[in-house]
Amino acid sequence: NAGVTQTPKFQVLKTGQSMTLQCAQDMNHNSMYWYRQDPGMGLRLIYYSASEGTTDKGEVPNGYNVSRLNKREFSLRLESAAPSQTSVYFCASREIFNQPQHFGDGTRLSIL
Amino acid sequence: TQLLEQSPQFLSIQEGENLTVYCNSSSVFSSLQWYRQEPGEGPVLLVTVVTGGEVKKLKRLTFQFGDARKDSSLHITAAQPGDTGLYLCAARAGDSNYQLIWGAGTKLIIKP
């Protein structure tokens, strides 16, 4: 039972480098989400995709782009990484509203 | 701006003790969810409460949604080391069918 799979699990980047975080779900869920989690701040929504072919900004979208490649996959791209983007990034998916969001195990990203 | 405030931020108690953690807001929510997150993993849904005054039990965990649907509590009876984790509350953001707002969490440690 894979659920939501995120790759990579860890990454260290230098300021200015670019990177794509990958997420795939095998539960046939319509909506997918990217969050960042920082100490003392809970989860903050970066972008979400309500369904295949659509994406929308969340609370903290600046510095990020996303692609909903198909129903299974939702990627997050940092075009020019900054130290402020050091965080743990979580991908989640959900079938319909009020159903649980299912999370991956996160990508721990450090920007030096 | 809708906010969810969780208290306490940190709680360390001995095995067998009882505890209550809180999730409060000045906003009214149509539903509220509680998640538990263990180190190195994503959050996992524990319960969704929908009706004001609702009480739900999950083994030794009791969840209550306030009558006015502005707050919620989680009570653990006879805490065990397996209850250790970060407890997060989340609620629907405004009228969005997709966005949740999240509390910063209560970090709970149960010492054997």
Side-chain angles (χ1 to χ4, degrees), chain A residues 31 33 35 37 40-45 48 50 57-59 90 94 97-106 108, chain B residues 9 30-31 33 35 37 39-45 48 50 86 88 92 96-105:
Chain A
S31 60
Y33 307 80
Y35 292 94
Q37 185 175 37
M41 299 189 72
L43 290 161
R44 291 184 292 170
L45 184 64
Y48 68 97
K57 295 179 180 179
E59 180 185 356
F90 286 99
R94 179 169 65 178
F97 174 68
N98 252 6
Q99 292 299 309
Q101 290 197 359
H102 295 263
F103 286 82
D105 286 339
R108 283 140 190 87
Chain B
Q9 291 183 322
S30 58
S31 64
Q33 297 178 328
Y35 288 77
Q37 183 179 17
E41 299 182 3
V44 176
L45 181 73
T48 300
V50 178
L86 179 67
L88 296 160
R92 184 183 186 184
S96 174
N97 284 332
Y98 301 99
Q99 297 194 50
L100 297 175
I101 58 169
W102 293 80

Side-chain angles (χ1 to χ4, degrees), chain B residues 37-80:
Chain B
Q37 183 179 17
E38 299 188 16
E41 299 182 3
V44 176
L45 181 73
L46 296 173
V47 76
T48 300
V49 287
V50 178
T51 305
E54 181 177 7
V55 176
K56 282 192 172 180
K57 293 190 175 184
L58 187 65
K59 297 183 180 178
R60 294 174 294 98
L61 279 60
T62 301
F63 303 86
Q64 184 162 8
F65 201 15
D67 291 342
R69 291 183 287 126
K70 293 183 178 182
D71 52 79
S72 182
S73 63
L74 160 58
H75 181 80
I76 301 179
T77 302
Q80 298 179 1

